[in-house]
Amino acid sequence: MEIKITRTTSPKEKPADETKLSFGKIFTDHMFLMNYDEGEGWHDPRIVPYGSLPMDPASMCLHYGQAVFEGLKAYLTADGHVQLFRPDQNMARLNVSNDRLCIPKIDEKFGVKAIETLVEVDKEWIPKSYGTSLYIRPFIFAADPMLGVHPAKHLIFAIICSPVGAYYAAGLAPVKIYVEQNYVRAVTGGTGFTKAAANYAISLKAQEVSEKQGYEQVLWLDGIHRKYIEEVGSMNVFFVIDGEVVTPSLERRSILSGITRKSCLEVLKAKGYKTSERDIKIDELVKAYDKGKLNEAFGTGTAAVISPIGELKYGDKVMTINNGEIGPVSRMLYDTITGIQWGVIKDDFGWTVRID
Ligand SMILES: *Cc1c(COP(=O)(O)O)cnc(C)c1O
């Protein structure tokens, strides 16, 4: 399929100060759109000037939340090239989400081509300083104008882009995390393993409660036993316990298979660290902490890459990890992965895709 490109005749002003970019507030000049209609399949891929989409108030996504998304970044490397980080993984995961939400699958290679074409069109929007990037948001939503509950027959696949600043403008600052005991995010058999928009809608309440207590994000426990650790907000979670790097396994299908998570495991294995993907009980963590064996904790995700956890609150217990400072494993992973993304470390893994 050919992507038809219509360039804007009135380009927007680009942000003057790259150090002041906050997450996802301004968007580039163009967007990608493609439609699905039953009988026709996905068709009419196009890049058009960024703008509002006409929407029927009965559009199914607005009522029943049949919508999925992805998130990845384009980076301007030290030597002036544009590259993406494992975009094939994002498109593969989009189809995993699609399948669970009864959304027709997309051609993954074509999805990557759509991302590359859009980034190429808007490449002047990629911020230039180290640590900054162009955040890319592919998403699909149901557009049928009717209120019956059934899988949509008409959908829209869109991609928008937003220049984002360095996540840690003031260095890698550890976050404070609240272990949630009342609300749950996902259960086996649900949609926890997908990037369904609805997963976020149901997480907002707990996020609000944690913020009121001075914590930045929520650490979710499993929805059934309320004792196994799942993930943090929009990040997977890792712990260094007695020298071993552990992260919850994906077997329960209630947590997202993060691409940063996967990349961290691959870096750790390549460098000879002891790693394990397994069940981690919150009690195990507390015991390790009490024995002084909880060496590090960190979240992983596209936005922050590595987010060191300086404090964990579980009930009345407040655990300060590694004196609230970033630990050596977190630091190594951050330096290695961001180094590959911004092209200052050779990519021996073959993860980066150069698009110019
Ligand atoms: C997107 C996301 C992550 C992180 O995934 P990456 O591919 O590493 O960006 C983790 N957990 C949830 C719930 C997410 O939505």
Side-chain angles (χ1 to χ4, degrees):
M1 270 191 293
E2 183 93 22
I3 302 174
K4 192 174 163 235
I5 302 174
T6 310
R7 285 175 193 270
T8 179
T9 51
S10 48
K12 292 181 276 195
E13 188 116 11
K14 297 192 181 59
D17 188 352
E18 290 186 356
T19 63
K20 296 221 167 64
L21 287 169
S22 50
F23 182 77
K25 289 201 178 142
I26 54 171
F27 299 94
T28 61
D29 280 325
H30 300 88
M31 62 183 175
F32 171 88
L33 295 174
M34 176 158 81
N35 293 71
Y36 179 92
D37 294 290
E38 197 181 48
E40 260 185 289
W42 287 109
H43 66 90
D44 202 16
R46 57 206 185 273
I47 287 171
V48 295
Y50 186 95
S52 308
L53 298 172
M55 243 202 194
D56 193 290
S59 292
M60 276 179 47
C61 64
L62 300 177
H63 302 271
Y64 308 125
Q66 195 187 4
V68 295
F69 70 96
E70 270 303 324
L72 69 161
K73 286 172 169 179
Y75 310 84
L76 192 67
T77 63
D79 55 358
H81 296 292
V82 176
Q83 64 185 23
L84 301 171
F85 186 74
R86 312 188 81 175
D88 55 319
Q89 299 282 324
N90 291 92
M91 290 301 100
R93 189 171 64 190
L94 183 58
N95 270 342
V96 170
S97 302
N98 285 343
D99 182 60
R100 179 65 181 80
L101 275 286
C102 294
I103 291 174
K105 289 197 178 177
I106 57 146
D107 176 327
E108 291 167 25
K109 284 214 172 76
F110 183 77
V112 172
K113 188 176 132 193
I115 293 168
E116 290 173 357
T117 310
L118 179 61
V119 170
E120 176 69 34
V121 168
D122 273 339
K123 71 175 177 213
E124 296 305 319
W125 281 87
I126 307 175
K128 296 181 178 53
S129 10
Y130 189 83
T132 61
S133 56
L134 187 69
Y135 183 78
I136 305 162
R137 167 56 60 86
F139 58 109
I140 303 179
F141 59 93
D144 299 29
M146 56 169 75
L147 299 181
V149 179
H150 61 77
K153 294 174 176 154
H154 307 277
L155 300 101
I156 294 173
F157 175 22
I159 309 174
I160 55 175
C161 300
S162 172
V164 293
Y167 200 87
Y168 296 111
L172 266 175
V175 293
K176 290 168 69 180
I177 303 282
Y178 178 89
V179 183
E180 176 54 51
Q181 296 189 83
N182 294 314
Y183 300 103
V184 301
R185 189 191 87 99
V187 289
T188 302
T191 55
F193 65 99
T194 71
K195 257 180 134 66
N199 290 343
Y200 281 80
I202 64 166
S203 74
L204 298 173
K205 189 74 188 174
Q207 178 70 22
E208 200 176 73
V209 172
S210 77
E211 278 171 17
K212 275 199 186 118
Q213 303 197 32
Y215 288 81
E216 278 134 297
Q217 290 210 37
V218 165
L219 176 69
W220 298 102
L221 299 179
D222 78 278
I224 295 171
H225 313 278
R226 310 282 182 102
K227 61 182 180 193
Y228 298 107
I229 286 168
E230 297 225 307
E231 57 182 321
V232 169
S234 54
M235 292 188 287
N236 293 109
V237 69
F238 282 73
F239 302 95
V240 184
I241 302 177
D242 204 10
E244 188 186 29
V245 189
V246 297
T247 190
S249 89
L250 302 174
E251 254 165 57
R252 239 182 275 283
R253 308 254 301 162
S254 51
I255 65 174
L256 194 83
S257 174
I259 296 160
T260 319
R261 172 188 183 278
K262 185 178 189 170
S263 305
C264 285
L265 286 167
E266 290 174 44
V267 167
L268 289 163
K269 282 175 195 157
K271 291 188 184 275
Y273 286 78
K274 208 170 138 205
T275 63
S276 133
E277 294 171 72
R278 61 169 172 86
D279 281 344
I280 307 164
K281 284 189 186 151
I282 183 72
D283 289 347
E284 174 188 345
L285 214 61
V286 173
K287 277 189 196 130
Y289 176 80
D290 287 341
K291 286 188 190 147
K293 291 187 169 168
L294 178 57
N295 314 127
E296 290 180 49
F298 55 95
T300 66
T302 296
V305 187
I306 301 294
S307 192
I309 298 172
E311 186 178 313
L312 263 181
K313 183 173 194 283
Y314 176 51
D316 294 333
K317 187 153 183 106
V318 175
M319 301 180 268
T320 303
I321 301 160
N322 197 40
N323 293 321
E325 284 160 26
I326 180 169
V329 177
S330 317
R331 166 60 65 189
M332 180 284 290
L333 286 169
Y334 183 79
D335 289 347
T336 306
I337 293 176
T338 59
I340 291 171
Q341 290 170 335
W342 278 284
V344 295
I345 292 181
K346 193 166 148 274
D347 175 15
D348 291 326
F349 297 94
W351 286 338
T352 49
V353 177
R354 237 182 87 173
I355 59 174
D356 74 330

